[in-house]
Amino acid sequence: MIVYMEINDPTSPVEPIIYLTHRFESIVNKYVFQPMNLSAISVKILKLLQENDSMTASALIEITGATKSNMSQRLSFLEKEGYLTRTYASDSKDRRKIFIRLTPSGKEKIADLEKIFKKAKISFEKKFTEKELAQHKAFFKKLSAILDSEESELEKIFKI
């Protein structure tokens, strides 16, 4: 059963994006992440490690916006599952500096996810014309640039 949220201002490009984002997240959690025994933040961590070879927990916290507590829990879970390892920096006297890296099992998990997303992308793209895909890409590229340039202003607006 599909449940649609009421959009209060149909002329606003923001509300439909927020609602669609929530729907996509719910669908991906239900059909992809949960069956793979992962959370969205766990997938984000694995992807960041794939792209950056190794990172510190503090860098992951800064990029993801997760709390220290949540990051600690996620890293412990992913390490227990065998997807990542933590090693102390050998050139540092600071024992708190730990580098986090993907294991071969973590790389395999990401490869499995990428296969699923590639299937979904192919399936979705078939339902749109090339013109619609180009318009979509241009719209989200511009929206992303606006968000990048206006983030500090948005922080003021949403700060409670």
Side-chain angles (χ1 to χ4, degrees), residues 151-160:
E151 189 171 351
S152 61
E153 190 63 31
L154 290 170
E155 183 180 7
K156 292 175 195 171
I157 292 169
F158 292 116
K159 199 168 194 170
I160 296 174

mmCIF file of all heavy atoms in Angstrom, residues 151-160:
data_model
loop_
_atom_site.group_PDB
_atom_site.id
_atom_site.type_symbol
_atom_site.label_atom_id
_atom_site.label_comp_id
_atom_site.label_asym_id
_atom_site.label_seq_id
_atom_site.Cartn_x
_atom_site.Cartn_y
_atom_site.Cartn_z
ATOM 1 N N GLU A 151 24.009 26.794 2.810
ATOM 2 C CA GLU A 151 23.888 25.966 4.011
ATOM 3 C C GLU A 151 23.944 26.783 5.296
ATOM 4 O O GLU A 151 23.186 26.540 6.235
ATOM 5 C CB GLU A 151 24.950 24.864 4.038
ATOM 6 C CG GLU A 151 24.709 23.879 5.163
ATOM 7 C CD GLU A 151 25.601 22.655 5.100
ATOM 8 O OE1 GLU A 151 26.318 22.457 4.098
ATOM 9 O OE2 GLU A 151 25.558 21.884 6.067
ATOM 10 N N SER A 152 24.815 27.760 5.367
ATOM 11 C CA SER A 152 24.905 28.570 6.591
ATOM 12 C C SER A 152 23.608 29.338 6.826
ATOM 13 O O SER A 152 23.171 29.500 7.970
ATOM 14 C CB SER A 152 26.098 29.522 6.547
ATOM 15 O OG SER A 152 25.968 30.418 5.474
ATOM 16 N N GLU A 153 22.981 29.795 5.750
ATOM 17 C CA GLU A 153 21.690 30.495 5.875
ATOM 18 C C GLU A 153 20.598 29.521 6.329
ATOM 19 O O GLU A 153 19.771 29.854 7.175
ATOM 20 C CB GLU A 153 21.302 31.146 4.545
ATOM 21 C CG GLU A 153 20.114 32.071 4.629
ATOM 22 C CD GLU A 153 20.324 33.286 5.534
ATOM 23 O OE1 GLU A 153 21.470 33.775 5.644
ATOM 24 O OE2 GLU A 153 19.340 33.723 6.148
ATOM 25 N N LEU A 154 20.622 28.312 5.781
ATOM 26 C CA LEU A 154 19.651 27.299 6.187
ATOM 27 C C LEU A 154 19.815 26.930 7.663
ATOM 28 O O LEU A 154 18.840 26.704 8.365
ATOM 29 C CB LEU A 154 19.785 26.054 5.315
ATOM 30 C CG LEU A 154 19.327 26.201 3.871
ATOM 31 C CD1 LEU A 154 19.726 24.983 3.054
ATOM 32 C CD2 LEU A 154 17.831 26.434 3.803
ATOM 33 N N GLU A 155 21.056 26.899 8.110
ATOM 34 C CA GLU A 155 21.315 26.591 9.520
ATOM 35 C C GLU A 155 20.646 27.630 10.411
ATOM 36 O O GLU A 155 20.037 27.284 11.430
ATOM 37 C CB GLU A 155 22.828 26.565 9.783
ATOM 38 C CG GLU A 155 23.183 26.196 11.198
ATOM 39 C CD GLU A 155 24.686 26.175 11.430
ATOM 40 O OE1 GLU A 155 25.456 26.574 10.530
ATOM 41 O OE2 GLU A 155 25.076 25.770 12.527
ATOM 42 N N LYS A 156 20.715 28.884 10.032
ATOM 43 C CA LYS A 156 20.061 29.956 10.811
ATOM 44 C C LYS A 156 18.542 29.792 10.804
ATOM 45 O O LYS A 156 17.892 29.954 11.818
ATOM 46 C CB LYS A 156 20.420 31.339 10.247
ATOM 47 C CG LYS A 156 21.861 31.732 10.423
ATOM 48 C CD LYS A 156 22.124 33.058 9.722
ATOM 49 C CE LYS A 156 23.607 33.317 9.556
ATOM 50 N NZ LYS A 156 23.855 34.484 8.709
ATOM 51 N N ILE A 157 17.990 29.455 9.646
ATOM 52 C CA ILE A 157 16.543 29.307 9.512
ATOM 53 C C ILE A 157 16.026 28.151 10.368
ATOM 54 O O ILE A 157 15.023 28.266 11.046
ATOM 55 C CB ILE A 157 16.152 29.074 8.028
ATOM 56 C CG1 ILE A 157 16.435 30.346 7.220
ATOM 57 C CG2 ILE A 157 14.681 28.667 7.899
ATOM 58 C CD1 ILE A 157 16.347 30.131 5.714
ATOM 59 N N PHE A 158 16.720 27.020 10.334
ATOM 60 C CA PHE A 158 16.244 25.825 11.017
ATOM 61 C C PHE A 158 16.694 25.714 12.463
ATOM 62 O O PHE A 158 16.254 24.813 13.171
ATOM 63 C CB PHE A 158 16.657 24.575 10.239
ATOM 64 C CG PHE A 158 15.944 24.448 8.923
ATOM 65 C CD1 PHE A 158 16.642 24.498 7.734
ATOM 66 C CD2 PHE A 158 14.574 24.296 8.879
ATOM 67 C CE1 PHE A 158 15.990 24.393 6.514
ATOM 68 C CE2 PHE A 158 13.897 24.179 7.677
ATOM 69 C CZ PHE A 158 14.613 24.224 6.495
ATOM 70 N N LYS A 159 17.562 26.591 12.899
ATOM 71 C CA LYS A 159 18.040 26.536 14.270
ATOM 72 C C LYS A 159 16.886 26.894 15.209
ATOM 73 O O LYS A 159 16.226 27.914 15.072
ATOM 74 C CB LYS A 159 19.199 27.500 14.479
ATOM 75 C CG LYS A 159 20.023 27.183 15.695
ATOM 76 C CD LYS A 159 21.303 27.974 15.667
ATOM 77 C CE LYS A 159 22.235 27.373 16.695
ATOM 78 N NZ LYS A 159 23.555 27.920 16.577
ATOM 79 N N ILE A 160 16.673 26.037 16.151
ATOM 80 C CA ILE A 160 15.561 26.246 17.096
ATOM 81 C C ILE A 160 16.082 26.813 18.397
ATOM 82 O O ILE A 160 17.094 26.528 18.891
ATOM 83 C CB ILE A 160 14.829 24.907 17.354
ATOM 84 C CG1 ILE A 160 14.201 24.431 16.048
ATOM 85 C CG2 ILE A 160 13.788 25.057 18.436
ATOM 86 C CD1 ILE A 160 13.582 23.061 16.123
#
